Amino acid sequence: MTYTLMHTYQTVDFVKEKHALWGSCNHKKMTVMEALSLLDNLVDESDPDVDFPNSFHAYQTAEGIRMAHPDKDWFQLVGLLHDIGKIMALDNEPQWAVVGDTFPVGCKFQKSIVYSDTTYKDNPDTRHPVYSTEYGIYEPNCGLENVLMSWGHDEYLYRVLKFNQCTIPEEGMYMIRFHSFYPWHTGGDYQHLCNEKDQKMLPWVREFK
Ligand SMILES: [Fe+2]
């Protein structure tokens, strides 16, 4: 149901609205630990493996990375922070606009997207003369940073960190921004929109997810 709603209502116009609503980061001011604690109140309904609050997942991920990469403190930090954007779900955003796999809007929805065979039929962008084409509004190999992704916690946290002039290295910021883009990092799809930087960052995102 989460994906049916997501794939019905995530359109170019919807994503632009959410960028306008959340992008200026003027909702609330809080510390990272306060935001993490809020995730005690959230169970991600899109995750079939997890039925405990998201804050546990953050600590587990950070600990896993610490064991594998004891020398990379910024990487451990990314593990701890990466899902904090889900606090939008505690501030009136439906889960289908917060959690789950992400995908580009403004171009054809590809088969690599989970449940795509049945869930996009009521999405108006599938009948749009430009948005329904292979490249849609994008130039070939324009780079994922220039692609409008479905709205969710990845892009939101990326924007919050940028807004706060966070000094996490570029690889970490990239992991935060694209860790839910499964059709790309796991499905191997959307190569036609990727540039050299995306290829360089791919192993990092794969290492993380
Ligand atoms: Fe996530």
Side-chain angles (χ1 to χ4, degrees):
M1 184 54 77
T2 303
Y3 279 108
T4 300
L5 293 168
M6 182 193 297
H7 295 172
T8 302
Y9 296 115
Q10 291 262 5
T11 61
V12 169
D13 289 348
F14 176 82
V15 172
K16 285 182 176 170
E17 269 173 38
K18 292 301 167 190
H19 276 260
L21 177 64
W22 291 99
S24 47
C25 302
N26 58 359
H27 277 67
K28 264 175 201 152
K29 191 169 181 177
M30 64 179 80
T31 67
V32 163
M33 290 312 292
E34 284 165 350
L36 255 183
S37 300
L38 282 179
L39 293 183
D40 285 345
N41 304 311
L42 182 76
V43 177
D44 180 339
E45 66 188 21
S46 76
D47 193 335
D49 306 322
V50 172
D51 56 4
F52 45 76
N54 223 109
S55 47
F56 287 108
H57 171 63
Y59 290 114
Q60 271 184 338
T61 306
E63 177 61 8
I65 295 170
R66 192 183 68 81
M67 302 291 277
H69 301 276
D71 56 325
K72 287 197 174 60
D73 55 356
W74 62 266
F75 196 0
Q76 299 160 29
L77 183 62
V78 166
L80 188 69
L81 298 181
H82 76 285
D83 272 350
I84 285 182
K86 290 182 183 176
I87 59 172
M88 284 190 296
L90 303 170
D91 200 352
N92 295 321
E93 282 297 344
Q95 288 220 10
W96 56 264
V98 175
V99 302
D101 299 2
T102 56
F103 53 88
V105 296
C107 62
K108 187 178 177 189
F109 303 123
Q110 300 288 347
K111 292 212 178 308
S112 52
I113 302 170
V114 66
Y115 302 129
S116 60
D117 285 354
T118 54
T119 48
Y120 280 103
K121 59 183 181 349
D122 294 326
N123 185 312
D125 284 2
T126 59
R127 289 178 290 282
H128 189 281
V130 177
Y131 303 162
S132 61
T133 61
E134 194 73 5
Y135 285 92
I137 57 177
Y138 307 111
E139 295 292 323
N141 304 109
C142 61
L144 295 180
E145 288 174 320
N146 298 308
V147 167
L148 203 55
M149 299 296 294
S150 57
W151 183 252
H153 66 285
D154 296 33
E155 182 70 21
Y156 178 51
L157 181 62
Y158 173 78
R159 282 174 180 264
V160 168
L161 295 177
K162 278 277 181 199
F163 179 83
N164 285 285
Q165 299 172 339
C166 178
T167 56
I168 286 174
E170 191 174 34
E171 293 85 350
M173 294 296 281
Y174 198 93
M175 284 186 259
I176 286 165
R177 197 175 191 185
F178 295 108
H179 74 271
S180 299
F181 189 13
Y182 278 80
W184 170 62
H185 64 58
T186 301
D189 204 351
Y190 288 99
Q191 297 304 315
H192 57 299
L193 299 181
C194 292
N195 62 13
E196 261 179 45
K197 181 177 179 182
D198 300 317
Q199 306 301 352
K200 209 174 90 195
M201 293 292 165
L202 181 57
W204 282 101
V205 183
R206 284 197 171 138
E207 171 97 23
F208 174 72
K209 52 110 185 159

